[in-house]
Amino acid sequence: MAEEKRRSPLKVAAVVAMYWSISISMVFIMKHLLSGSYGNQDLTIFVTWYQSASVVVLILAMSSASRLLKFGLSIPSLDKETILNSDMLSLSFSFVISLTMNNLMLKHISVSFYQVARSLTLIFSILLSFCMLAKAPSYKVVLACLLIIAGFVIGVDQEEASGSITIWGIIYGLLASLTSALTGIYFKKGEYAVGGSALKLAYINNFNSMMIIFPLVLSTNQLSHIMNSDIATNPQLWLFLTASGALSLAIGWASALQIRYTSPVTHQISINAKSITQTVIAILWNNELKTVFWWFGNVLVLFGIGIYTFAKYQESKTQKVETSPMPTKNNSSSSSSPEKPTV
């Protein structure tokens, strides 16, 4: 009864709505920051650094507020062994590259094309799992990959025909997808390094990322440009920058909460539905006109992701059946009752 109450339709709807709001808002805010709204100077590296730095500051602020209000939230320690752990460093380096490539890609593409541009993350995840973990994909997964690739190619072709994408947008999109897939693999290893603590993982990963990318912020003169220009006193810039950091911290929590209140499969379905909504909002907001083939490419990508989700769901059910304990029967005549199945 308690479980049913926890997963009431109203609570599930609220959690899903929160995840959608955070995810869609983050994409639009990042596009606003990177699309030249604050001058022609490239701010991609600085925005990437500020995202990680603001997450670290927000976690510290949350810890201070928790101590003051006695909420019981303690700040994870920045111990040298964990910071310099090879798995954590691998995660942080791949995270920095992934975040930077994603921001550069978003700068060169429209928000309506974001879903298709990042669709190859799934393809690279499957390839890396095969190369690094020796996990061969099923024929359904291969079919899903073919549909996604076909949708990506059609989408890129239609974006090029309309003049709304550059070669750099395609290159950054491919690199963002590859590094995002790599980050996903290292993320699992990083969890072991911090003992499974999600807060500590976010804290140390963003601390490392902040330190790793800071030399680039200085060498590209992006920090000095901001400090020596009029935008340094623009409160809107700092508001959107801080909001991007807060949302990047919140998206992980919202994702975990959505999985908890629904299921991993429903979470993937929600992501696809959110992507469709995000695409439609971007098209309406920017008054864009898309061809039938453009929509066809998007549909192929969504079908491919749907088939992949269904295939992984079937695999998980099969694994549960194979690993579930079977009841054993006691053949001894001296026993008065059969043995209980192992729980």
Side-chain angles (χ1 to χ4, degrees), residues 10 79 153 195 197 207 209 215 308 330 339:
L10 185 60
D79 56 286
V153 172
S197 171
F207 176 83
S209 301
Y308 173 80
N330 186 3
E339 293 181 0

Coordinates of all heavy atoms in Angstrom, one line a residue, residues 10 79 153 195 197 207 209 215 308 330 339:
L10 N -0.6 11.2 -9.5 CA -0.3 12.6 -9.3 C 1.2 12.8 -9.1 O 1.8 13.7 -9.7 CB -1.1 13.1 -8.2 CG -1.0 14.7 -8.0 CD1 -1.5 15.4 -9.2 CD2 -1.8 15.1 -6.7
D79 N 39.0 14.3 -0.6 CA 40.2 13.6 -0.3 C 41.1 13.4 -1.5 O 40.6 13.1 -2.6 CB 39.9 12.2 0.4 CG 39.0 11.4 -0.5 OD1 37.8 11.7 -0.5 OD2 39.5 10.4 -1.0
V153 N 21.3 10.7 -40.9 CA 21.7 11.2 -42.2 C 20.7 12.0 -42.9 O 21.0 13.1 -43.5 CB 22.1 9.9 -43.1 CG1 22.4 10.3 -44.5 CG2 23.3 9.2 -42.5
G195 N 32.1 5.1 -3.7 CA 31.3 4.3 -2.9 C 29.8 4.4 -3.2 O 29.0 4.2 -2.3
S197 N 28.1 7.1 -3.8 CA 27.4 8.4 -3.4 C 27.3 9.3 -4.6 O 28.2 9.8 -5.2 CB 28.3 9.0 -2.3 OG 27.8 10.3 -2.0
F207 N 34.4 19.4 -9.4 CA 35.6 20.0 -8.9 C 36.8 19.7 -9.8 O 37.5 20.6 -10.2 CB 35.9 19.5 -7.5 CG 37.2 20.1 -6.9 CD1 37.2 21.3 -6.3 CD2 38.4 19.3 -7.0 CE1 38.4 21.8 -5.8 CE2 39.6 19.8 -6.5 CZ 39.6 21.1 -5.9
S209 N 36.6 18.8 -13.0 CA 36.4 19.4 -14.3 C 36.7 20.9 -14.2 O 37.2 21.5 -15.2 CB 34.9 19.2 -14.7 OG 34.6 17.8 -14.7
P215 N 42.7 26.3 -17.1 CA 43.8 26.8 -17.9 C 43.3 27.2 -19.3 O 43.8 28.2 -19.9 CB 44.8 25.7 -18.0 CG 44.5 24.9 -16.7 CD 43.0 25.0 -16.5
Y308 N 15.2 0.1 -29.5 CA 16.4 -0.2 -28.6 C 15.8 -0.4 -27.2 O 16.2 -1.3 -26.5 CB 17.4 0.9 -28.7 CG 18.5 0.7 -27.7 CD1 19.6 -0.2 -27.9 CD2 18.5 1.4 -26.5 CE1 20.6 -0.3 -26.9 CE2 19.5 1.3 -25.5 CZ 20.5 0.4 -25.8 OH 21.5 0.3 -24.8
N330 N 12.6 -31.3 -1.8 CA 13.3 -32.3 -1.0 C 12.9 -33.7 -1.3 O 11.8 -34.0 -1.1 CB 13.1 -31.9 0.5 CG 13.9 -32.7 1.4 OD1 14.8 -33.5 1.0 ND2 13.7 -32.5 2.7
E339 N 11.1 -28.3 0.9 CA 11.9 -27.2 1.3 C 11.2 -25.9 0.7 O 10.6 -25.9 -0.4 CB 13.3 -27.3 0.8 CG 14.1 -28.4 1.4 CD 15.5 -28.5 0.9 OE1 15.8 -27.7 0.0 OE2 16.2 -29.4 1.4

